[in-house]
Amino acid sequence: MKKILSLICCGLLFMAFSVNAQETLILSENFDNFSAGTGYSGSGPGALITNADSLMQNPYTGWTSYYLYPCMGSIKLGKSDVGGFICTPALNLGLDGGAFVIRFKAMAWKGDNTSMKIVIINENKKDTIEVHGLDNVSAQGTTSNFIPFEVYCNKGEASTKVKLMSYTDNKGRFFIDDLEISTVAGTVITYTPSTINFENVLPNETVTKNITATGFNLEATTYQVSLSGTGFSTTVTSISKSDLENGYDIPVTFAPTTPGDYTATIGVGNINTLITGQCIDVIEIDNLADLRAKAPAANLDSVITDNLYYKYTGKALITAYGSNKYGYMSMMIQDETAAIMVYDQKGDFISNLAKGQLITDLIGTLTNYYGCVELIPTKDITVDDPFADESQIVAKEVTFAQLADNDYMEPLQSQLVFVKGTTIVSNGTFEVNKKYVVNAGGTTDSVLYTMYQDADYIGKVIPNWISSLNGIVYFTFGKYVIIPRNMNDIVGIDEINAGLNIEVYPNPVANELHFNGIDATTVEIYNALGNKIASYNNLKNTVPMGNLAAGTYFVRFITNDGSAVKKIVK
C-alpha cells in the first residue's frame, strides 16, 4: 500500500489512492544514469549537474534544473541554503479532458524540511501543490527510505510542464526517484489522505477525522457513500456531483469500546479506501520515579522499547523545553520524586507547551535510548497550570566525581542540577550540539552540552568567569553531562565562599557601589552574558559603576580568603 500524505492545493490538484480509470503513460524517468555519488548524506551526492538532458533516459529533451545533483541512481535537489528544482519538458497532458497523475518517490535530507512543491506550468497559468510527509529521519543511506507519492490534476494542456522543487531555500534539500506522468481517462475518485488511521484511542473515547473525496470526469449526478466495519461511523450518506468535483469532507468517527485493532472501508460510488483504528489500554502511574522504573533495562548499545502504554496522572513541572540541531523536539519534566525526558520528534504533542507549565495526564510509551530513559507521547498533554511556580523544583548540587559515577547519576537523569565553582575552559562562541570543557576545583571535564539550538547563548561569547553551572542532567554516549537551558544557567550567581561576610549597597546602584566586611584585592565586573568588562585592584570599599549602561551586572570580589559574586542592577 502506498503511503500518500496530506496536501494543500488551489482546488485543482489532489492526492489520490483509489481510482477507477484508464491511464496512458506520457513520461517515465528512473534517473538510473544519475549514478554518481556514494550516499545520501555528507559528501555522498555527486557533482552539480548543469545539463540534465544528457543523463535522462526518456526521449524528451528540454529538462531544466537548479542545484541538481546525481545520487546513486536518484537525484538530489537543493543545497543547505538554496532550494533546487527539476522541471520536465513540455508534455501533452491535454488528452482525456486534461486529467493526469504524477507518481514519484521522495525523501528529505536528514533534518531538513519534510515538504516539497509541485508546480503545474501552463501557457497562461501556474498552479502549485504542497506535498507533505517526506521522511527526514531515516533518509540517510538506502533507497528503502523513499516514500511513494501520487498526485492527480485536472488542468493538463497540450504543452504542460511539471516542476518538482524545494519547499524552502533554507534546509529544503530532497531526493526524487522513479518519476512517472500519465494521462487519465474515465471517472477518478481520490481520497485525501488516502487512508484514515486512528491511533492510540482510549476505550469509550470518541475521535472524529475528515477524509476528503474528490471526483474527476464524473458522469452520475449523485454518488452514494458506504462505510462498513465495527467501531466506525459517518453522517454522510451521499454526495452530489458538484460537491464531489470541488472536494467534499466526509467526517468519520471512531468510538471503540475495548482495546484492539479495528478496520473498516469507506467508499464513494464503488471506489473504497481503508480505515484503521487502534484502541489502547494504559497503565496509570502517579509519580515519575515509578514511571521510570517501568522503562526497559538500560542497554548502552541499542534502543529498547516495551510497546506498553502508560498514563502519568501526577503533576510535573516542565523544567526545560526546546529542539536540537535537527529540529527534533523534547522537554524535561520533574516532580517531587524524579524527572524524565519527553521526546516528541516532530512536536505533534508538545509544540504548544512551554517551560514553567505544570502538566498532567501524559500518555505514551517508554524507550531506553542507549541508556537514556525517554517517554514518547502519543496523545495531547493536559496543562494543569500554565503559570506554575518554578521554585517548587530545587536544583540538586552534584560534583564532577558524582557526574562520572553512572550508578549514582542514573536516578537523577533529566533532573535540574548544578555544579558549584565552575569555570569554562573552552574559548570562542557557543555552538549547538557540542560539549565544552569545564573546570571545577582543579578538575576538568567536558560536561557542558549545548543540546538546544534555540537557547539564548548559542552564538554568544563563552564567559570566562567563575560561576555555578546549572542545567539538566542528560545521558549521552555513556556519559552524564549538563544541558544549560539559558545563559543564566551558565552565568548564574555563585556564592563561591559563603564564609565571606560581605555587604553591598545600594542595589540598584546609580554611580558608586559600596561594600563592607572584606578587604578585596581585586574587584571584577561582568555583564549579563558573563563577559568581564572591568577589573580593579585594591579598591577601598567603593566600586565605580557610573559609566555603565542600565542593566544587570555581576560583581566578583576576590580576597585572600576566597571570592564571592553579587548580582547588581543599575
Side-chain angles (χ1 to χ4, degrees):
M1 180 183 300
K2 289 190 174 182
K3 184 177 182 181
I4 311 300
L5 301 175
S6 64
L7 162 74
I8 301 173
C9 61
C10 306
L12 304 174
L13 310 168
F14 302 88
M15 292 297 245
F17 173 71
S18 299
V19 299
N20 184 20
Q22 298 297 315
E23 297 183 5
T24 301
L25 182 66
I26 302 298
L27 178 145
S28 177
E29 178 56 60
N30 59 20
F31 304 107
D32 281 356
N33 288 342
F34 292 77
S35 57
T38 58
Y40 293 93
S41 64
S43 59
L48 181 69
I49 299 295
T50 57
N51 180 12
D53 279 339
S54 64
L55 293 175
M56 295 296 180
Q57 298 188 67
N58 64 83
Y60 293 96
T61 59
W63 290 83
T64 56
S65 63
Y66 188 65
Y67 281 99
L68 166 68
Y69 302 87
C71 191
M72 299 174 62
S74 64
I75 58 173
K76 174 198 167 220
L77 296 165
K79 62 177 188 174
S80 61
D81 57 350
V82 179
F85 70 78
I86 183 75
C87 185
T88 70
L91 306 173
N92 183 4
L93 301 180
L95 305 174
D96 304 317
F100 65 94
V101 59
I102 309 165
R103 295 187 177 94
F104 58 93
K105 296 176 183 177
M107 68 178 178
W109 184 277
K110 187 173 183 180
D112 275 18
N113 201 304
T114 58
S115 300
M116 57 171 283
K117 294 179 182 179
I118 299 176
V119 183
I120 308 302
I121 305 172
N122 290 307
E123 184 176 356
N124 298 313
K125 189 176 182 181
K126 295 180 180 179
D127 293 294
T128 301
I129 182 172
E130 297 182 357
V131 180
H132 306 290
L134 280 67
D135 182 3
N136 74 342
V137 179
S138 56
Q140 301 297 304
T142 68
T143 57
S144 63
N145 298 317
F146 278 101
I147 295 175
F149 290 88
E150 194 172 60
V151 179
Y152 277 75
C153 176
N154 64 352
K155 286 296 180 178
E157 297 181 0
S159 183
T160 298
K161 297 180 179 180
V162 178
K163 178 191 284 188
L164 290 77
M165 62 182 295
S166 297
Y167 191 78
T168 57
D169 280 331
N170 185 43
K171 292 187 176 182
R173 295 164 290 187
F174 69 108
F175 301 87
I176 293 290
D177 201 4
D178 295 338
L179 173 64
E180 291 186 355
I181 301 176
S182 302
T183 57
V184 182
T187 298
V188 178
I189 302 291
T190 72
Y191 295 102
T192 308
S194 61
T195 64
I196 302 180
N197 183 25
F198 295 84
E199 294 182 309
N200 308 314
V201 179
L202 300 176
N204 301 312
E205 182 182 11
T206 298
V207 180
T208 299
K209 294 183 178 182
N210 286 340
I211 187 169
T212 302
T214 306
F216 302 86
N217 301 331
L218 301 178
E219 297 177 356
T221 57
T222 303
Y223 290 80
Q224 300 301 310
V225 177
S226 60
L227 189 151
S228 62
T230 302
F232 301 93
S233 63
T234 182
T235 57
V236 178
T237 57
S238 64
I239 305 174
S240 69
K241 177 182 178 180
S242 60
D243 284 342
L244 192 55
E245 287 176 333
N246 292 320
Y248 194 87
D249 290 340
I250 306 172
V252 178
T253 298
F254 180 43
T257 56
T258 58
D261 294 327
Y262 295 71
T263 60
T265 59
I266 189 168
V268 177
N270 62 348
I271 302 173
N272 297 326
T273 191
L274 182 66
I275 304 173
T276 59
Q278 178 192 36
C279 180
I280 61 172
D281 199 5
V282 297
I283 302 169
E284 294 192 359
I285 297 178
D286 64 3
N287 68 85
L288 292 181
D290 287 348
L291 181 64
R292 289 186 60 88
K294 295 291 186 180
N299 186 332
L300 303 186
D301 299 319
S302 61
V303 180
I304 307 173
T305 181
D306 59 9
N307 295 315
L308 298 176
Y309 290 86
Y310 300 91
K311 181 178 182 180
Y312 170 69
T313 60
K315 296 179 181 180
L317 183 74
I318 301 175
T319 57
Y321 178 94
S323 60
N324 66 11
K325 66 176 294 186
Y326 301 112
Y328 303 158
M329 300 291 298
S330 67
M331 66 181 187
M332 309 292 181
I333 61 173
Q334 186 169 343
D335 65 12
E336 65 275 8
T337 67
I340 198 169
M341 174 187 235
V342 180
Y343 181 70
D344 183 17
Q345 180 174 291
K346 297 181 180 179
D348 293 333
F349 304 106
I350 72 171
S351 60
N352 62 327
L353 302 177
K355 175 178 171 292
Q357 293 179 332
L358 199 67
I359 60 97
T360 187
D361 292 343
L362 195 163
I363 296 175
T365 60
L366 288 172
T367 293
N368 197 311
Y369 187 82
Y370 300 104
C372 180
V373 176
E374 301 174 346
L375 189 144
I376 314 299
T378 56
K379 295 182 73 68
D380 290 335
I381 301 167
T382 300
V383 177
D384 183 78
D385 185 352
F387 305 105
D389 179 12
E390 294 190 55
S391 66
Q392 63 185 280
I393 300 297
V394 179
K396 178 180 177 60
E397 182 178 359
V398 296
T399 65
F400 274 16
Q402 290 168 335
L403 278 171
D405 185 342
N406 287 2
D407 291 335
Y408 178 85
M409 294 302 301
E410 194 280 331
L412 302 181
Q413 200 175 98
S414 301
Q415 287 194 32
L416 188 61
V417 301
F418 71 96
V419 179
K420 203 170 186 180
T422 60
T423 303
I424 302 176
V425 178
S426 304
N427 297 313
T429 58
F430 282 118
E431 300 177 33
V432 70
N433 197 40
K434 289 191 65 175
K435 293 177 183 176
Y436 293 87
V437 178
V438 177
N439 180 285
T443 301
T444 60
D445 199 355
S446 53
V447 298
L448 192 161
Y449 177 46
T450 55
M451 185 173 79
Y452 294 122
Q453 66 171 348
D454 42 7
D456 61 359
Y457 52 77
I458 298 299
K460 301 291 180 62
V461 176
I462 298 173
N464 57 2
W465 69 315
I466 297 177
S467 67
S468 61
L469 175 60
N470 302 263
I472 301 295
V473 172
Y474 182 63
F475 188 70
T476 177
F477 293 101
K479 177 183 178 65
Y480 280 97
V481 294
I482 296 177
I483 304 170
R485 301 162 298 172
N486 47 48
M487 182 63 88
N488 192 57
D489 274 351
I490 300 172
V491 299
I493 300 173
D494 184 7
E495 295 289 354
I496 299 165
N497 191 334
L500 293 179
N501 184 19
I502 180 173
E503 176 188 10
V504 297
Y505 63 93
N507 190 7
V509 65
N511 295 307
E512 293 183 337
L513 179 71
H514 302 283
F515 62 94
N516 292 321
I518 62 169
D519 292 323
T521 58
T522 303
V523 176
E524 299 171 338
I525 302 177
Y526 297 80
N527 62 18
L529 298 179
N531 305 128
K532 183 163 62 175
I533 59 175
S535 179
Y536 304 98
N537 295 322
N538 301 313
L539 292 177
K540 300 300 183 182
N541 304 108
T542 300
V543 182
M545 300 187 69
N547 62 332
L548 301 180
T552 299
Y553 297 90
F554 299 97
V555 181
R556 182 188 181 201
F557 299 89
I558 302 174
T559 74
N560 293 328
D561 298 318
S563 62
V565 176
K566 295 294 183 180
K567 181 178 181 180
I568 305 297
V569 177
K570 186 176 187 298

